[in-house]
Amino acid sequence: MNQAKLVKLFLALFLSAYSYLLSAKSIERIDIVGLKRTKPFVVKRELLVKEGQEFSKKQIKESCQRLRNLQIFATAECVLTEGSSPQSNVLTITVDERWTTIPIFKYSSGGGTSQLIIGTYDINVFGNYLELGGQYERTGDKNSGVVWYRNKRFLGKRLELFLNLWSVARERTLIGDRDNKTIIKNGTLLNCFPFKLE
């Protein structure tokens, strides 16, 4: 390769790199619209882009999908507009928050035993994307209950911490045999009080 071709190749590489730098855009500002209960850090924690950094459209699209996957927003839309210079953009995120407190109710009866379950849980307690719940259950004349706490972004990462404390009474059928025939002897309620950390 002679010198003229080397110079042309160098100039072509230099010009393409220079034009890429001129066309590279960064996030000047992130505006979040529509939050009533959820804290802004919950939204920003899910984003793959930050203020002052360069970005790709794929990162914006994936960030918006992450917000939808939280299940605390009915809709989440991400729109880019030009910022204070041609090389900067403003990212506007518009969300519509869902009602996240879910009641629990169930009543059933059969086999001489009735069961009542009541409770509630919320997946966005205090707007921090934390889940807290409790449930009371009465089976026959026995009481059961469970309370739980769940953090799906433990230590600010995509790690999950799940704690539950429960007391359970469950009806179990005791099986016996008489004269080589299987018979149902009676029913009993099994009580246990475990603590579980996952």
Side-chain angles (χ1 to χ4, degrees):
M1 202 181 269
N2 62 27
Q3 287 183 340
K5 285 185 178 179
L6 280 173
V7 170
K8 284 182 183 178
L9 180 62
F10 175 76
L11 284 173
L13 290 172
F14 176 78
L15 288 173
S16 62
Y18 183 70
S19 63
Y20 170 78
L21 288 173
L22 285 178
S23 65
K25 295 191 175 184
S26 62
I27 299 290
E28 179 182 315
R29 189 176 74 246
I30 297 173
D31 294 334
I32 305 169
V33 179
L35 292 182
K36 296 182 182 97
R37 183 176 166 214
T38 304
K39 304 287 192 321
F41 82 86
V42 172
V43 173
K44 289 187 175 182
R45 182 172 60 191
E46 297 302 308
L47 304 180
L48 298 174
V49 294
K50 293 182 180 175
E51 293 175 352
Q53 289 185 345
E54 291 181 5
F55 67 93
S56 68
K57 289 185 179 178
K58 183 180 177 183
Q59 287 175 312
I60 300 295
K61 186 177 178 182
E62 191 174 333
S63 295
C64 224
Q65 187 58 51
R66 281 178 153 197
L67 293 174
R68 294 184 195 107
N69 292 346
L70 294 179
Q71 298 182 331
I72 59 176
F73 302 120
T75 59
E77 301 298 328
C78 300
V79 176
L80 285 168
T81 54
E82 191 172 307
S84 58
S85 72
Q87 278 72 45
S88 65
N89 281 100
V90 174
L91 174 60
T92 303
I93 300 168
T94 305
V95 295
D96 181 19
E97 291 184 290
R98 292 177 189 242
W99 181 260
T100 57
T101 303
I102 311 298
I104 303 166
F105 179 81
K106 178 184 175 187
Y107 178 79
S108 61
S109 180
T113 303
S114 61
Q115 182 185 52
L116 172 68
I117 299 173
I118 56 173
T120 187
Y121 70 96
D122 193 332
I123 62 171
N124 193 21
V125 174
F126 305 122
N128 290 317
Y129 191 55
L130 300 172
E131 183 176 327
L132 191 61
Q135 177 177 298
Y136 165 78
E137 180 179 329
R138 183 161 178 89
T139 304
D141 62 347
K142 300 293 182 182
N143 299 311
S144 302
V146 59
V147 291
W148 68 89
Y149 164 82
R150 190 175 188 183
N151 184 348
K152 294 182 182 179
R153 296 296 182 268
F154 184 57
L155 300 175
K157 303 192 180 298
R158 294 172 78 83
L159 300 172
E160 186 171 316
L161 174 68
F162 185 47
L163 301 165
N164 64 32
L165 179 62
W166 47 278
S167 166
V168 178
R170 290 283 183 265
E171 193 169 75
R172 300 287 186 252
T173 302
L174 297 179
I175 306 294
D177 68 68
R178 183 183 299 146
D179 301 326
N180 294 325
K181 291 183 181 178
T182 301
I183 60 166
I184 297 174
K185 292 173 78 173
N186 60 3
T188 186
L189 283 167
L190 173 68
N191 290 295
C192 49
F193 304 88
F195 175 75
K196 192 173 185 182
L197 172 64
E198 296 181 329

